[in-house]
Amino acid sequence: MKLSRLVGFAGLFLLVPTLVACGDDTTTTPAPVFPVTVGELTLESEPQRIVSMSATATEMLFAIGAGDKVVAVDNFSNYPAETSALEKVDAYQPNVEAISGLSPDLVIISYDPGNLIEQLNALSIPVFAAYAVSNLAGVYEQIEQLGALTGRLAEAVQLSATMQSDIAALVDGVTKAQPPLTYFYELDPTLYTITSNTFIGGVMSSLGLVSIADGVEAGNDYPQLSAEVLVEKNPAIIFLADTKCCAQSAQTVAERDGWAGLGAVQSGGIVELDDDIASRWGPRLVDLVRTVVEAITSLLAKQ
């Protein structure tokens, strides 16, 4: 018996044949069919030379098995290890001629500096904008969009499903304290942070956490807090997303003037994050969620 069902978040409404026999439910997907359209971009054939100007997109491409198509990446693409051997391009001050010289049949960006899309399109180079997402659904959708564009939709849908399952299990399994635990998410040592309205803030909210930056500065979801405000708010957990860029650690935080008395310092509630994982919305997001869950579990066990 052959059935069909809609799969994925990509908005493509792709029908995937589902084979059911002898009580087994086995899903198979057809070979990639081009042309394919995602958003406003149509690719007539499967790309063979991809330039990724987004570290997040680079991780997604390798995770869905399209890494062998990537010929160049931006300077921040440092994962997986295979990226070290690839040619590097500047995503912030892109050189259109240099990109064109790589003969790409697909360029992926996370933002559009200097009308890069228009310039590359004028050279008949297709560009897909994989902009920063606002929620988890956006993560899964973007993975599947890249899968569709690269002929790796089946792999992308599988990755998306696995991430959804893993994150859902972590969210369902973590204890939500009452009242909710508060946190400070440090972007750099000058105390820039996030509110619950950001992507990461939304992830934290799903785990039962509340940002101490909420409501501090109306209309600004990336405010800079003063040390006085932080001491006054006294967060239960401090997440350091600046361990690589700025050499911050539990020790450097504890040594800051006036910080020794913070609850997070005294309880060991300082969590050192990997800057790269903390700043990207790719497959390793599961690792970030797991780290946060472990921090919550450890803190509550001490109370």
Side-chain angles (χ1 to χ4, degrees):
M1 178 180 180
K2 180 180 291 187
L3 305 175
S4 294
R5 63 185 177 85
L6 292 173
V7 301
F9 284 78
L12 303 173
F13 301 104
L14 297 171
L15 287 175
V16 176
T18 302
L19 303 179
V20 182
C22 301
D24 293 329
D25 187 344
T26 304
T27 301
T28 61
T29 55
V33 177
F34 284 80
V36 65
T37 298
V38 175
E40 298 180 356
L41 176 63
T42 297
L43 294 181
E44 296 298 330
S45 60
E46 185 174 325
Q48 301 301 318
R49 295 183 60 82
I50 299 174
V51 173
S52 174
M53 301 177 67
S54 161
T56 296
T58 298
E59 293 196 19
M60 291 178 176
L61 290 168
F62 276 87
I64 63 176
D68 59 337
K69 302 171 181 291
V70 180
V71 297
V73 295
D74 71 299
N75 293 325
F76 294 98
S77 289
N78 55 8
Y79 186 89
E82 293 91 325
T83 58
S84 63
L86 297 175
E87 188 161 343
K88 300 299 188 292
V89 294
D90 192 331
Y92 288 98
Q93 295 181 318
N95 184 315
V96 175
E97 290 75 17
I99 296 172
S100 176
L102 295 167
S103 301
D105 44 19
L106 176 62
V107 173
I108 301 171
I109 64 174
S110 57
Y111 81 116
D112 187 12
N115 297 317
L116 180 62
I117 294 178
E118 181 180 345
Q119 294 182 67
L120 290 175
N121 286 169
L123 298 173
S124 299
I125 298 174
V127 182
F128 180 69
Y131 294 131
V133 300
S134 59
N135 52 44
L136 288 172
V139 174
Y140 309 136
E141 178 182 34
Q142 198 168 97
I143 288 172
E144 294 175 19
Q145 288 174 331
L146 291 179
L149 290 171
T150 59
R152 298 291 186 271
L153 181 59
E155 294 86 345
V157 169
Q158 180 59 57
L159 174 61
S160 169
T162 299
M163 289 181 65
Q164 292 175 60
S165 176
D166 289 348
I167 290 176
L170 288 166
V171 170
D172 291 343
V174 70
T175 300
K176 279 79 170 181
Q178 292 297 331
L181 296 175
T182 58
Y183 72 92
F184 170 65
Y185 192 92
E186 181 170 293
L187 297 175
D188 67 29
T190 65
L191 306 188
Y192 276 97
T193 188
I194 62 170
T195 71
S196 297
N197 294 327
T198 61
F199 169 68
I200 290 296
V203 173
M204 296 295 189
S205 294
S206 72
L207 297 171
L209 301 179
V210 175
S211 172
I212 65 168
D214 289 354
V216 169
E217 187 177 333
N220 185 1
D221 289 325
Y222 295 90
Q224 182 182 29
L225 302 188
S226 66
E228 291 75 18
V229 167
L230 194 139
V231 170
E232 175 190 348
K233 298 285 187 178
N234 194 22
I237 306 178
I238 295 175
F239 294 102
L240 300 178
D242 53 359
T243 59
K244 288 184 175 180
C245 74
C246 313
Q248 296 305 295
S249 65
Q251 180 178 344
T252 63
V253 168
E255 292 173 350
R256 295 175 183 174
D257 289 342
W259 288 52
L262 290 176
V265 174
Q266 296 184 344
S267 67
I270 300 177
V271 184
E272 299 173 0
L273 301 176
D274 181 309
D275 297 19
D276 296 334
I277 297 176
S279 63
R280 300 172 190 173
W281 55 95
R284 291 192 291 169
L285 179 62
V286 176
D287 297 334
L288 176 64
V289 175
R290 183 176 293 110
T291 297
V292 175
V293 168
E294 290 173 352
I296 294 171
T297 301
S298 176
L299 181 63
L300 292 178
K302 297 174 184 177
Q303 294 181 349

